[in-house]
Amino acid sequence: KIIGDVRGKGLMSGVELVKDRKTKEPLPKEACRRIFDEGMRRGLVTMAYSPVVRINPPLNLTKAEAERGLAKLDEALKAGAQG
């Protein structure tokens, strides 16, 4: 519900967080901070403290690590967006 756009190339990408998908109004800073904090609680270090989450994993990332990281990001987005 809060993902407005995903862009990038290869392993480096950005996920735009929005308050409203139609207007593309950015997610408020407080909500971004909650998402960042929720990720940290789960052991996920992200650049999620602004309305664009930057994802830039190491080149030697395994598929299993990527799947675990995405699951943690999904949990953090859900928990942080609820406030």
Side-chain angles (χ1 to χ4, degrees):
K1 291 183 180 182
I2 62 170
I3 295 177
D5 189 29
V6 178
R7 56 186 174 273
K9 206 167 203 171
L11 290 178
M12 192 168 185
S13 57
V15 180
E16 180 182 88
L17 303 179
V18 295
K19 187 174 181 178
D20 183 293
R21 286 178 118 177
K22 290 181 183 178
T23 66
K24 299 287 187 176
E25 180 183 348
L27 198 63
K29 194 89 167 154
E30 304 80 44
C32 296
R33 184 61 199 208
R34 284 194 307 269
I35 291 167
F36 175 79
D37 291 341
E38 289 294 336
M40 291 296 285
R41 277 191 212 31
R42 290 164 172 76
L44 181 68
V45 178
T46 62
M47 294 180 187
Y49 37 78
S50 75
V52 178
V53 177
R54 291 185 281 165
I55 302 171
N56 41 343
L59 293 174
N60 61 348
L61 181 75
T62 67
K63 183 177 179 180
E65 290 168 334
E67 289 171 352
R68 282 194 307 273
L70 287 174
K72 289 178 181 185
L73 179 59
D74 186 47
E75 292 172 7
L77 288 171
K78 288 176 183 172
Q82 291 176 357

